[in-house]
């Protein structure tokens, strides 16, 4: 089955708890002020994407790939990052809330956390 491919698109103010989020490869896409709370990102790939001021709490990352992606001012609580496929490489988390999330056993080469809340997070 062929996966959907999205390149250099901008999504602003979308509520993906009410709209379908299509699984596929997202390259160079920007998500601004979007609601993803509890959305299924299984089998998605995010390459060189940017998430801005979005609520991504409790998203499902089963076999998801995150590479060179930035998260700015996002709420990412209660996420099991260890469900990602492979590594989270080159990610930058700035001014994010990652409380109660887990990165146990995840290779995070080049990943940075800047001014983030990391309460009760497992590494």
């Amino acid at each position: 089955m062929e996966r959907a491919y999205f390149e250099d698109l901008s999504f602003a103010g979308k509520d993906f708890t009410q709209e379908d989020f299509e699984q596929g490869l997202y390259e160079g896409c920007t998500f601004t002020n979007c609601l993803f709370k509890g959305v299924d990102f299984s089998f998605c790939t995010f390459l060189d994407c940017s998430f801005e001021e979005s609520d991504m709490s409790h998203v499902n990352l089963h076999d998801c790939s995150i590479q060179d992606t930035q998260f700015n001012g996002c709420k990412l609580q209660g996420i099991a990052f260890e469900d990602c496929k492979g590594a989270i490489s080159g990610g930058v988390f700035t001014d994010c809330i990652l409380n109660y999330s887990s990165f146990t056993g995840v290779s995070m080469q080049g990943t940075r956390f800047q001014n983030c809340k990391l309460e009760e997070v497992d590494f």
Side-chain angles (χ1 to χ4, degrees):
M1 182 168 92
E2 192 172 316
R3 293 184 348 155
Y5 178 70
F6 305 92
E7 183 178 17
D8 297 329
L9 297 177
S10 293
F11 301 87
K14 295 279 190 178
D15 182 351
F16 290 105
T17 65
Q18 301 298 316
E19 299 179 36
D20 286 335
F21 183 79
E22 193 167 356
Q23 293 176 337
L25 170 60
Y26 291 83
E27 184 173 358
C29 293
T30 301
F31 301 88
T32 305
N33 199 25
C34 293
L35 181 60
F36 295 99
K37 194 171 186 176
V39 169
D40 189 1
F41 283 175
S42 295
F43 308 106
C44 288
T45 297
F46 297 100
L47 176 61
D48 196 29
C49 290
S50 177
F51 291 87
E52 310 282 335
E53 303 293 330
S54 295
D55 186 348
M56 305 172 72
S57 296
H58 305 287
V59 294
N60 179 1
L61 297 178
H62 177 73
D63 274 340
C64 179
S65 179
I66 302 172
Q67 301 171 19
D68 300 319
T69 293
Q70 297 184 18
F71 301 88
N72 299 300
C74 292
K75 187 175 180 181
L76 299 130
Q77 292 193 128
I79 298 177
F81 286 93
E82 65 262 21
D83 291 343
C84 286
K85 174 176 49 182
I88 298 174
S89 61
V92 178
F93 296 86
T94 305
D95 298 319
C96 292
I97 301 170
L98 291 120
N99 300 340
Y100 311 107
S101 293
S102 176
F103 293 88
T104 304
V106 176
S107 175
M108 300 174 58
Q109 185 173 358
T111 299
R112 296 185 321 243
F113 298 92
Q114 301 170 336
N115 199 35
C116 293
K117 287 185 87 172
L118 296 157
E119 295 175 10
E120 306 226 12
V121 173
D122 293 324
F123 287 96

